Structures are given as C-alpha cells and as structure tokens.
Amino acid sequence: MTGKEGGHVDHAAAQATPHVDAVNPDALEVAPGTAHERLEGWIPELASEDELRVALEKAFDYRGDVTITRKDGSKIEGYLFDRRSGASLKDSVVRLYPKNSDEKVAVSYAEIGALAFSGRDTAAGKSWEAWMKKYAEKKAAGEKDLSLHPEPLV
C-alpha cells in the first residue's frame, strides 16, 4: 500500500496549511503550565465517602504536611506519600511520614474523621520568580558564587 492508506503523511502539505489553533511555543514569553489549587490551610468537609476520597487524592498531590484526625480523636501530622484505594473505605489506606518520627504510618480511610492541609505548601507561590530575582541581585552585586540554595523547610 502507498499513500495515506499506507500511513504516509505529506509533511509539505501539512506545513503549508497550519492549524488555526496552533501555538508557536518559541513566540511565548512564558508557556502555559498547570494551575495548582491553593490548599494550604484548607479543611475539607468529609460528609460522604466520595468527599473523603477526593480530599485524600488532593492530599496525596499536596507538597506539604497534612493533619489526619482519626475517629477515636487521635491526630497524626505528616507528609502523605502513598495511598491505596480499595473497593471500600476499610480496604483503602493512606501512608505518611509523621512530622516528628522516621517511621511510616498507615491509616485506613475508614479510621479518618477529619483532614486538614496544615503544613506550608513548599511549592506554592512564585518560587521561580523569587529564585530569578535573587540570582539577578547576586549577579548585579558582582558576586562570583551565583549558586542559589533552597530556603530551609521549617
């Protein structure tokens, strides 16, 4: 087979008629990125199983600590690094690194009474712009060591 039926694409014809919605990334000053929700300080309503599952998915993507309050009243604060969603809440588990411990803790979805996005979102804000501003200031001051270091996590 030859032609279109054989998978041949006429590249010259495709370039002659560009797509109306095509965007030239080289012409953009800043390429569009992903918009992140501002979750820092959010305490979601966990009235239903679906709301709990959605909130825990957001907590998994969150780049700060969360506080889980178990139904027995005990609290655990730390970084949520894993979740395993099963058919029921009892079969579903989140795992986190507690703030004041090196051990990994697993908590069943069925045990969770409340969730709070309690820690600072370490990737929120204008970190790239702040980094570039510090770099430009150091360069303008004539510094030789232009390496920048991340701000410490508190």
Side-chain angles (χ1 to χ4, degrees), residues 59-66 77-82 95-99:
F60 175 72
D61 291 333
Y62 188 61
R63 291 125 335 173
D65 287 347
V66 296
E77 182 177 8
Y79 182 76
L80 195 151
F81 71 92
D82 187 22
R95 295 190 317 153
L96 58 145
Y97 291 109
K99 192 173 186 175

Side-chain angles (χ1 to χ4, degrees), residues 50-122:
D50 286 339
E51 289 173 334
L52 175 63
R53 288 182 184 273
V54 168
L56 289 171
E57 280 301 310
K58 289 181 181 189
F60 175 72
D61 291 333
Y62 188 61
R63 291 125 335 173
D65 287 347
V66 296
T67 300
I68 293 175
T69 304
R70 293 185 179 111
K71 290 181 178 175
D72 67 5
S74 63
K75 292 185 179 191
I76 183 165
E77 182 177 8
Y79 182 76
L80 195 151
F81 71 92
D82 187 22
R83 85 280 188 230
R84 297 181 185 158
S85 185
S88 70
L89 294 181
K90 286 186 177 186
D91 297 332
S92 304
V93 173
V94 293
R95 295 190 317 153
L96 58 145
Y97 291 109
K99 192 173 186 175
N100 301 322
S101 174
D102 291 334
E103 67 178 294
K104 298 174 188 173
V105 175
V107 179
S108 168
Y109 283 26
E111 296 176 32
I112 298 173
L115 177 69
F117 292 76
S118 52
R120 182 176 147 256
D121 186 348
T122 58

